[in-house]
Amino acid sequence: MKRKPIYVEIMIGSDMEKLWNATQTPDLHSSWDLRFSSITYLPKKANEPQHFLYKTNIGFGQSVQGWGKSAGTFHAEDRSRTSSLHFGTDQKISLIKEGKGYWKYKQKQDTLVFLTQYDYNVNFGRLGTFCDGMIFRPLIGWATALSFDVLKRWLEKNEAPASQYLRFFSTWLISFLFFFIWTYHGTVPKLLFQQPEEVSMIQNLLSISLRQASSMVSAVGIAEILFGLLWLLPINKRRLFGVQIMAFPLLSLSAVLAEPANLVHPFSPITFNAALFILSIIGFFQSRDLPSASSCKRKRD
């Protein structure tokens, strides 16, 4: 199956010089582009492309370093610009071996169309091709699109890329935490090892039989698992945080009414829910107007 090049396009409300500067200045470029940790321009010779070195940190103290060269072209007939790119690395740890692409800047009335298309060859033979198609290519395409939206918001709303990424990744970190909490509490104490304390609380709160309370605990466990799975979906997390801000005080109150002794237990539902309540408030404000890869067009017309 023939692989498709990566294509990303976005509309940006900015002027050409400002966009060109943000994308062609090494320090500015690396500040918004997730694909690069640093970019260093080498001395430029007359009538030659701009050569540069790049570095991408991949975690655990490891990084991929490579080379590149770019050349810009101005098209007077439609006031557009193009920046061609040739890049690669000799490091065996890198899945990418060598690639080519371009950035295009097109004036469209009061906005700019900023787009990129690039492709690359991979290392590691068939295994590398398989890993690229299944994991890496979708991931780097997503990273490119997310970076473009961060750039757009930086130029249009003047929010620094570092601030945007801090809000984006902290929101997802909190989301993974809530996924774990809800699915764990729904699965372990309610479905797999139904705890007497869980049944007793429901029975005391609703004044129902033991059998009914046991069935109710199982139903609540399923509902908690489903709610936990929502945290993994690419949806507006702010609404989920809002639901929790309303729910945790009610859950704390119901736990006390059902079993007053909970007030004196270590790590009681009161302190546990209070911590989650505060974390939900933080997440609610952090998740406002997050950058998103879905803001970009990913296929050519």
Side-chain angles (χ1 to χ4, degrees), residues 92-109:
K92 299 301 182 182
I93 193 176
S94 173
L95 183 62
I96 293 178
K97 185 177 182 180
E98 186 175 353
K100 292 183 178 181
Y102 63 85
W103 283 351
K104 195 159 189 176
Y105 311 69
K106 298 192 297 184
Q107 191 77 47
K108 189 174 183 180
Q109 297 179 349

Side-chain angles (χ1 to χ4, degrees), residues 87-141:
F87 59 93
T89 177
D90 297 324
Q91 286 186 271
K92 299 301 182 182
I93 193 176
S94 173
L95 183 62
I96 293 178
K97 185 177 182 180
E98 186 175 353
K100 292 183 178 181
Y102 63 85
W103 283 351
K104 195 159 189 176
Y105 311 69
K106 298 192 297 184
Q107 191 77 47
K108 189 174 183 180
Q109 297 179 349
D110 295 332
T111 60
L112 297 171
V113 178
F114 180 50
L115 63 89
T116 185
Q117 179 171 297
Y118 61 95
D119 202 358
Y120 51 83
N121 298 320
V122 299
N123 288 311
F124 313 118
R126 291 184 177 179
L127 177 60
T129 301
F130 176 79
C131 292
D132 177 59
M134 295 298 295
I135 301 173
F136 186 78
R137 187 169 290 257
L139 183 61
I140 198 171

Side-chain angles (χ1 to χ4, degrees), residues 21-42:
N21 186 56
T23 55
Q24 299 294 327
T25 304
D27 291 342
L28 298 181
H29 179 186
S30 60
S31 72
W32 59 263
D33 198 332
L34 273 178
R35 298 169 297 174
F36 303 100
S37 300
S38 65
I39 301 172
T40 304
Y41 275 8
L42 301 177

